[in-house]
Amino acid sequence: SKKSKSKLLWLINKIEKLPCKSFFPKSEITISIFVPIVISIGIGILVSLIGIGGGIIIVPVLVYLIKMDQKMAQGTTLFMFMLPIGILGVYNYYKAGQVDFKSALIISLTFIIGSYLGSKTALNLDTKLVKQFFAGAIILVGLKMLIGK
């Protein structure tokens, strides 16, 4: 809608005016270092709060707010997950007895294979098609959660 587009443009304008600019050569963007810091903290809170994969949020933020290429945003997000992967969030769930280690280990190990195959495929596809797959996945998951049992 016109109102949401106006708010997005307002936000982008505010982001562009933040101090401490830094050039990110791989992404070919110049932004304040505060942008990724604030985005990461906010998304980390949201991901831990509602238990979703951060990529659903961070990839669109990188693409539309920071103006990063879709494939670059996906690769950057995967790297982000590789290092911290929610260790403190996992610790809190572990303390509450809410981690199934056997299934987590199986899922983690097979995720590595899927991640490798998916990244090789995505890098060989047109960026527009990759965006469409990403959007389709979000829509399908959202619909399932809205109308599913």
Side-chain angles (χ1 to χ4, degrees):
S1 78
K2 222 175 190 181
K3 194 172 189 175
S4 62
K5 190 172 185 175
S6 172
K7 287 181 182 179
L8 180 61
L9 291 174
W10 176 84
L11 182 59
I12 290 170
N13 185 39
K14 293 295 181 190
I15 288 171
E16 289 173 351
K17 291 181 180 177
L18 288 171
C20 299
K21 302 264 192 257
S22 182
F23 178 67
F24 295 80
K26 277 301 240 184
S27 304
E28 298 179 349
I29 56 175
T30 300
I31 56 171
S32 168
I33 59 169
F34 295 116
V35 173
I37 292 169
V38 170
I39 287 171
S40 298
I41 290 171
I43 291 173
I45 290 168
L46 186 60
V47 164
S48 294
L49 184 66
I50 60 177
I52 61 166
I56 286 178
I57 299 169
I58 197 145
V59 169
V61 166
L62 292 175
V63 170
Y64 295 109
L65 284 183
I66 300 180
K67 308 279 192 251
M68 192 179 281
D69 174 77
Q70 178 76 25
K71 291 177 186 176
M72 185 69 69
Q74 289 178 197
T76 301
T77 300
L78 287 172
F79 181 81
M80 175 196 78
F81 289 141
M82 183 179 72
L83 298 175
I85 206 67
I87 191 70
L88 295 176
V90 170
Y91 176 71
N92 286 327
Y93 280 97
Y94 167 74
K95 284 191 328 186
Q98 297 297 318
V99 177
D100 179 340
F101 285 104
K102 183 177 180 180
S103 62
L105 183 61
I106 292 167
I107 292 166
S108 297
L109 292 175
T110 54
F111 179 82
I112 293 169
I113 296 166
S115 176
Y116 176 80
L117 296 173
S119 64
K120 291 295 267 185
T121 303
L123 289 169
N124 289 305
L125 295 174
D126 180 64
T127 300
K128 184 176 180 180
L129 186 59
V130 175
K131 272 187 182 180
Q132 291 170 338
F133 280 138
F134 186 85
I138 292 172
I139 290 168
L140 289 174
V141 169
L143 286 173
K144 174 64 178 157
M145 292 181 78
L146 280 173
I147 60 177
K149 290 185 178 187

